[in-house]
Amino acid sequence: MIKGIAITTVWVLDQDRARDFYTEKLGLEVRTDMTMGGDKGMRWLTVGAKDQPDVEMTLMVPGPPGLDPESAEAMRTLVSKGVLGVAVLATDDIHRDYELLKAKGVEFLMEPQERPYGTEAILRDDSGNWFSLTQRSEQIDLSKDWGECVDPM
């Protein structure tokens, strides 16, 4: 049976730049950085949170072998337009982390806002993908506003 998510893909425009962003700005660690299939093969670059060793994000440039040229170009367009919401990043102190990340130059589309499920801020990576940075509440509080959807454009 399925035990959980182990690896998920984040489409990026430049793996070196993404590696720097995810490690130096977001504080994730590199798990794997290797070329599969020789010098001209595919680069397999994964990162993850130090306290969550069983979950990784593959920072993948759109292209072969997973995508044909037309699909790869469409994916690059979507990523660069900033329309892809990738994941929720968990924090135990959103106001602290918001200020720390902002000081490191991370672009935020939304500052921390109270939501029924906790406090959420929206950030964008160096390729254009956006993430929810969320400090979850113990319980859902339906008296709080769901807020406006963030327009990533």
Side-chain angles (χ1 to χ4, degrees), residues 39-88:
D39 292 340
K40 296 183 183 186
M42 179 185 76
R43 184 176 180 190
W44 183 255
L45 172 60
T46 68
V47 296
K50 292 175 179 76
D51 293 336
Q52 196 175 23
D54 56 337
V55 178
E56 300 177 67
M57 292 188 290
T58 301
L59 305 178
M60 186 70 66
V61 174
L67 297 175
D68 62 79
E70 182 181 342
S71 298
E73 182 58 32
M75 184 59 72
R76 281 191 294 277
T77 299
L78 290 172
V79 170
S80 64
K81 286 177 75 172
V83 298
L84 299 179
V86 177
V88 175

Side-chain angles (χ1 to χ4, degrees), residues 24-37:
E24 294 173 15
K25 293 192 177 185
L26 297 186
L28 301 180
E29 63 183 12
V30 172
R31 300 282 175 74
T32 308
D33 191 352
M34 61 182 261
T35 302
M36 296 167 49

Side-chain angles (χ1 to χ4, degrees), residues 79-133:
V79 170
S80 64
K81 286 177 75 172
V83 298
L84 299 179
V86 177
V88 175
L89 303 174
T91 178
D92 59 358
D93 189 336
I94 192 163
H95 295 287
R96 174 201 64 209
D97 291 345
Y98 170 78
E99 293 300 331
L100 288 170
L101 293 172
K102 200 170 162 188
K104 289 181 176 184
V106 174
E107 176 188 1
F108 278 86
L109 303 175
M110 184 183 83
E111 62 187 31
Q113 309 251 329
E114 295 296 319
R115 300 287 189 236
Y117 46 84
T119 308
E120 173 185 50
I122 305 294
L123 65 91
R124 189 187 304 267
D125 75 3
D126 66 308
S127 291
N129 298 300
W130 58 272
F131 292 81
S132 167
L133 177 65

Side-chain angles (χ1 to χ4, degrees), residues 138-152:
E138 294 287 324
Q139 296 181 44
I140 290 181
D141 182 352
L142 295 177
S143 70
K144 292 184 179 172
D145 187 19
W146 286 97
E148 297 291 319
C149 290
V150 172
D151 181 359

